[in-house]
């Protein structure tokens, strides 16, 4: 990686960044919301656009000197429209949470009602958790996953909506391994006169590649983050029909943000360009095939998966049936020791706490970027199982760690020669 100026002027930060490159190279990133962007995206994000204020939108800025900022933002918008087929796109939200905030601010009044999935069942803080602004400004009720099936209980959601009379229903999730029935939720939203916000933060790339059904053109608003399965620069995005374009744009700026992070918008533009190439289709398909291979092998080992498998990029393991005395945090820590980085996660019907829950969540976007196929993911499942089964056994953890070292050597990531990721 290029860091000659940083190394000369600030070795402390340079060392930390080198450490992070090494950490990413030498471990398996299986946090389902993470991925590895190309060096082209890194260059765009690390560009001089970080210096530029560009409040407003292309052609209508509050400051001068925005001609190149305009070019970059227009490229990002046009590519996003092509990727997701949306009529209107706002690429300025700083993150997925801010994208959701933009929709709420545009369409709701304080005290209005949100119906969303409970965080412990796979929702998101910004869908109305009491610790988040959305839970403080709006009246929130939450629906749940059917603990028997692990799927969204669409009938219960419908009944809940009729009872609660929400102003907006939020779909799209952070720890849900199954395809979402956007149309079914839209029918419920229509029946109760609510807006429908589909948050595709996790599955933006899968939706863009058509390997997950799209809520664009179904839900009133679609939000997402741009650095997960879509593998672009870090941030958020809002998509909607033209009729809501002005409301959304005004809510994002000046409603809740000032100057857009134009360097990140450049990273979004570059990543979207990569995702428009045919190779991205293969990547998205492989991400899902890898998750399914991982899921099948974990189940062969006797681990229980919420919903019994996956349709997307992640699996959610409920440790309680197979390992009732092993909390998720212990497994997360032992796996990290072995070089497999994922997160402990709540599961539907959680009986422990959010800090030390009963499950672990694992995703394949990062592994797929570095070239893992189904066979390699089956082996990763074997390694995960070994640690789940003996998180306190140092010899097992060391053995798995040795194999992770071999795998990370076999599937290199960011190179010292700065050639970077080549997406084939
Ligand atoms: N933190 C992300 C996740 O891990 O799902 C969501 O914002």
């Amino acid at each position: 990686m290029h860091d000659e100026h940083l190394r000369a002027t600030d070795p402390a930060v340079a060392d930390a960044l080198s450490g992070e490159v090494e950490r990413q190279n030498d471990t398996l990133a299986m946090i389902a919301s993470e991925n590895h962007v190309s060096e082209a995206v890194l260059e765009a994000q690390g560009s001089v656009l970080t210096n530029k204020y560009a409040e407003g939108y292309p052609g209508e800025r509050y400051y001068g000197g925005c001609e190149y900022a305009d070019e970059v933002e227009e490229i990002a918008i046009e590519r996003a429209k092509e990727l997701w087929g949306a009529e209107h796109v706002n690429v300025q939200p700083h993150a997925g949470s801010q994208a959701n905030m933009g929709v709420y601010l545009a369409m709701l009044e304080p005290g209005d009602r949100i119906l969303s999935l409970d965080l412990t069942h796979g929702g998101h803080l910004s869908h109305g958790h009491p610790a988040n602004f959305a839970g403080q400004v709006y009246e929130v009720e939450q629906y749940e996953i059917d603990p028997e099936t692990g799927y969204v209980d669409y009938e219960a959601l419908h009944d809940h909506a009729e009872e609660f009379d929400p102003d907006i229903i939020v779909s799209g999730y952070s720890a849900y391994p199954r395809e979402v029935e956007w149309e079914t939720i839209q029918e419920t939203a229509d029946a109760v006169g609510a807006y429908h916000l589909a948050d595709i933060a996790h599955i933006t790339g899968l939706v863009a590649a058509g390997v997950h059904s799209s809520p664009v053109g179904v839900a009133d608003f679609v939000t997402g983050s741009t650095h997960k399965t879509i593998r672009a620069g870090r941030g958020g995005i809002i998509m909607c029909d033209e009729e809501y374009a002005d409301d959304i744009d005004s809510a994002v700026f000046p409603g809740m943000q000032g100057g857009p992070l134009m360097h990140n918008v450049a990273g979004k533009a570059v990543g979207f360009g990569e995702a428009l190439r045919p190779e991205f289709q293969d990547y998205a398909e492989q991400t899902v095939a890898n998750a399914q291979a991982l899921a099948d092998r974990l189940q062969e080992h006797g681990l229980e998966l919420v919903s019994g498998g996956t349709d997307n990029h992640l699996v959610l393991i409920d440790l309680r049936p197979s390992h009732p005395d092993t909390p998720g945090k212990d497994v997360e820590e032992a796996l990290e020791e072995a070089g497999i980085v994922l997160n402990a996660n709540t599961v539907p019907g959680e009986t422990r706490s959010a800090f030390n829950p009963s499950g672990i969540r694992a995703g394949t976007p990062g592994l797929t970027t570095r070239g893992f196929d189904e066979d390699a993911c089956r082996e990763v499942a074997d390694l995960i199982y070994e640690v789940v089964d003996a998180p306190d056994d140092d010899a097992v953890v060391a053995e798995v760690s040795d194999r992770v070292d071999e795998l990370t050597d076999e599937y290199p990531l960011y190179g010292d020669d700065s050639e970077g990721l080549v997406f084939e």
Side-chain angles (χ1 to χ4, degrees):
M1 308 292 283
H2 304 287
D3 70 351
E4 57 273 22
H5 297 101
L6 183 64
R7 188 148 294 286
T9 58
D10 195 335
V13 173
D15 283 349
L17 295 186
S18 297
E20 177 61 13
V21 173
E22 209 171 307
R23 189 193 69 77
Q24 291 189 25
N25 279 337
D26 295 349
T27 58
L28 301 181
M30 296 192 73
I31 291 175
S33 48
E34 292 185 1
N35 208 334
H36 306 285
V37 297
S38 69
E39 289 214 2
V41 171
L42 292 179
E43 282 175 8
Q45 287 208 158
S47 69
V48 290
L49 273 175
T50 192
N51 300 331
K52 189 70 196 99
Y53 266 116
E55 281 97 330
Y57 291 96
E60 300 173 312
R61 305 284 189 186
Y62 286 81
Y63 292 112
C66 286
E67 60 268 39
Y68 298 109
D70 280 4
E71 269 181 37
V72 163
E73 187 164 345
E74 276 163 357
I75 291 170
I77 290 168
E78 286 315 308
R79 289 178 181 171
K81 284 183 177 174
E82 200 178 335
L83 277 171
W84 288 287
E87 279 183 19
H88 180 73
V89 177
N90 186 308
V91 295
Q92 292 191 6
H94 298 336
S97 289
Q98 280 62 52
N100 291 337
M101 184 187 237
V103 174
Y104 302 149
L105 188 64
M107 308 316 297
L108 304 181
E109 297 295 330
D112 277 357
R113 296 177 172 183
I114 297 176
L115 180 60
S116 58
L117 185 70
D118 188 285
L119 179 65
T120 63
H121 285 244
H124 190 259
L125 281 168
S126 64
H127 295 178
H129 190 274
N132 184 271
F133 86 96
Q136 294 160 14
V137 172
Y138 307 106
E139 187 184 338
V140 180
E141 287 200 7
Q142 302 210 284
Y143 55 98
E144 296 187 344
I145 296 295
D146 179 339
E148 293 304 314
T149 64
Y151 283 67
V152 171
D153 185 340
Y154 293 97
E155 271 181 39
L157 165 55
H158 186 89
D159 293 346
H160 196 157
E162 286 197 322
E163 208 174 289
F164 181 48
D165 192 19
D167 296 287
I168 196 164
I169 297 176
V170 182
S171 65
Y173 314 110
S174 287
Y176 186 62
R178 292 302 183 179
E179 182 116 4
V180 184
E181 295 180 20
W182 313 114
E183 282 86 359
T184 307
I185 297 178
Q186 186 60 45
E187 280 165 23
T188 292
D190 289 342
V192 300
Y195 294 116
H196 177 195
L197 160 58
D199 178 348
I200 61 168
H202 265 254
I203 54 172
T204 43
L206 308 185
V207 170
V211 301
H212 188 293
S213 63
S214 175
V216 176
V218 178
D220 301 293
F221 305 96
V222 177
T223 55
S225 50
T226 51
H227 48 276
K228 296 184 174 118
T229 45
I230 192 67
R231 210 167 54 181
R234 196 174 189 90
I237 187 170
I238 303 175
M239 297 177 257
C240 61
D241 284 348
E242 207 51 56
E243 66 173 306
Y244 300 120
D246 288 345
D247 290 332
I248 289 295
D249 287 352
S250 309
V252 173
F253 173 83
M256 60 167 212
Q257 289 187 175
L261 308 177
M262 288 311 304
H263 54 306
N264 278 13
V265 173
K268 292 174 191 180
V270 174
F272 295 166
E274 291 169 352
L276 281 167
R277 296 188 203 144
E279 306 88 272
F280 188 79
Q281 177 78 32
D282 301 336
Y283 165 74
E285 284 170 10
Q286 189 65 53
T287 298
V288 174
N290 283 350
Q292 289 172 341
L294 183 80
D296 289 348
R297 187 62 139 242
L298 290 169
Q299 289 179 114
E300 282 164 27
H301 282 297
L303 294 179
E304 182 146 324
L305 301 189
V306 173
S307 84
T310 183
D311 300 326
N312 59 27
H313 62 299
L314 67 83
V315 299
L316 187 57
I317 304 169
D318 185 344
L319 294 164
R320 293 173 300 184
S322 60
H323 296 79
D325 300 324
T326 308
K329 205 72 190 166
D330 289 7
V331 174
E332 176 194 302
E333 286 168 8
L335 280 169
E336 182 167 0
E337 187 68 30
I340 299 176
V341 185
L342 44 63
N343 64 288
N345 213 96
T346 53
V347 290
E350 182 57 65
T351 41
R352 287 198 175 89
S353 73
F355 290 108
N356 194 7
S358 304
I360 52 174
R361 186 186 68 164
T364 53
L367 298 191
T368 310
T369 288
R370 66 193 297 166
F372 280 54
D373 60 8
E374 290 98 316
D375 281 344
C377 286
R378 277 188 277 273
E379 178 169 7
V380 171
D382 294 341
L383 299 176
I384 289 174
Y385 177 73
E386 283 179 40
V387 175
V388 165
D389 206 36
D392 299 325
D393 189 328
D394 291 343
V396 168
V397 171
E399 203 179 297
V400 171
S401 175
D402 287 346
R403 184 59 193 135
V404 168
D405 285 346
E406 287 166 8
L407 282 169
T408 55
D409 284 349
E410 203 176 322
Y411 297 92
L413 191 52
Y414 296 113
D416 289 337
D417 57 5
S418 292
E419 273 179 26
L421 284 169
V422 181
F423 295 152
E424 289 168 350

